[in-house]
Amino acid sequence: IFLISFSNPIRAVTDGVRQKKEHSYNADNNEFEINFIKKKPAFLVTKPITNLEKQILNRLSTYMGAVLEQSVKIVPSLKKVKGDYPIIILSVAPDLINSESKEAYAIETKMIDDKKVIAVTGKTEQGLKRAVYRLILESKQTKTTLSFPAKNILESPWITQREWALCPWSPDI
């Protein structure tokens, strides 16, 4: 299960929430698209610590706020979310992502305690950043909703670390 907070394991964001229902859906299955409705509460569950985590949270909340025409509520745990609203959980969990790459991530759509949840987990901050970019790119906007398709993916770059090199030549102009 990919519900880990930035600072603590699973208990931090799911504290006090019974997971009586938990379903994962295939990404090809459209029956479980998550829709955030304009001018209705939208929640992000996370506890950002580092500057990059705060920047990632700011980008996603700014994007969602602009589309939904209201600010997004950021809460530290699932039990702080009252009502039947969709939720996005952002987390970093190096032990749960089985990859050598620091940029690996997982996105999973599921039901937890009768709430529609998108769990976005990075192996590191860099993985979380890639996952949030992917989430934003695959979202759909309509006049009344911001929709995210069903996902159950674990992705990792084909190389474990980016390679950088200075180009030893310059073009003649």
Side-chain angles (χ1 to χ4, degrees):
I1 186 166
F2 299 118
L3 301 178
I4 305 296
S5 74
F6 283 120
S7 59
N8 296 320
I10 192 168
R11 290 165 281 294
V13 293
T14 60
D15 188 30
V17 175
R18 288 186 28 217
Q19 295 185 25
K20 60 185 175 187
K21 281 190 176 181
E22 181 178 324
H23 304 285
S24 294
Y25 294 86
N26 187 328
D28 296 329
N29 187 351
N30 275 340
E31 73 181 12
F32 196 63
E33 184 174 79
I34 292 188
N35 298 309
F36 289 85
I37 299 170
K38 282 188 180 181
K39 300 185 180 180
K40 296 258 182 166
F43 292 92
L44 295 174
V45 177
T46 187
K47 293 181 184 178
I49 295 172
T50 68
N51 285 335
L52 182 55
E53 291 167 350
K54 291 174 185 174
Q55 288 174 2
I56 293 165
L57 177 61
N58 184 45
R59 279 195 191 173
L60 181 58
S61 63
T62 300
Y63 167 71
M64 290 179 68
V67 174
L68 299 174
E69 299 174 359
Q70 73 170 19
S71 62
V72 176
K73 295 179 172 90
I74 300 165
V75 295
S77 75
L78 279 176
K79 71 179 185 180
K80 300 278 186 190
V81 179
K82 305 297 181 205
D84 188 24
Y85 300 108
I87 302 164
I88 297 177
I89 298 175
L90 302 177
S91 59
V92 173
D95 297 337
L96 291 181
I97 307 292
N98 188 16
S99 173
E100 295 294 318
S101 174
K102 293 179 181 179
E103 295 183 358
Y105 64 88
I107 302 174
E108 186 177 12
T109 309
K110 57 174 57 184
M111 292 287 289
I112 297 177
D113 202 26
D114 296 326
K115 295 181 190 311
K116 291 182 178 182
V117 174
I118 303 171
V120 181
T121 307
K123 183 170 179 98
T124 64
E125 301 168 314
Q126 292 87 6
L128 184 63
K129 181 178 174 183
R130 287 176 60 94
V132 167
Y133 285 153
R134 171 87 182 257
L135 194 66
I136 290 171
L137 285 173
E138 293 190 2
S139 67
K140 292 182 276 181
Q141 302 173 22
T142 67
K143 290 181 180 182
T144 58
T145 63
L146 172 62
S147 301
F148 296 95
K151 289 277 168 220
N152 191 5
I153 60 170
L154 172 62
E155 291 195 356
S156 178
W158 64 278
I159 56 174
T160 57
Q161 185 172 344
R162 292 182 188 259
E163 297 177 13
W164 303 95
L166 294 174
C167 185
W169 57 271
S170 63
D172 291 332
I173 298 180

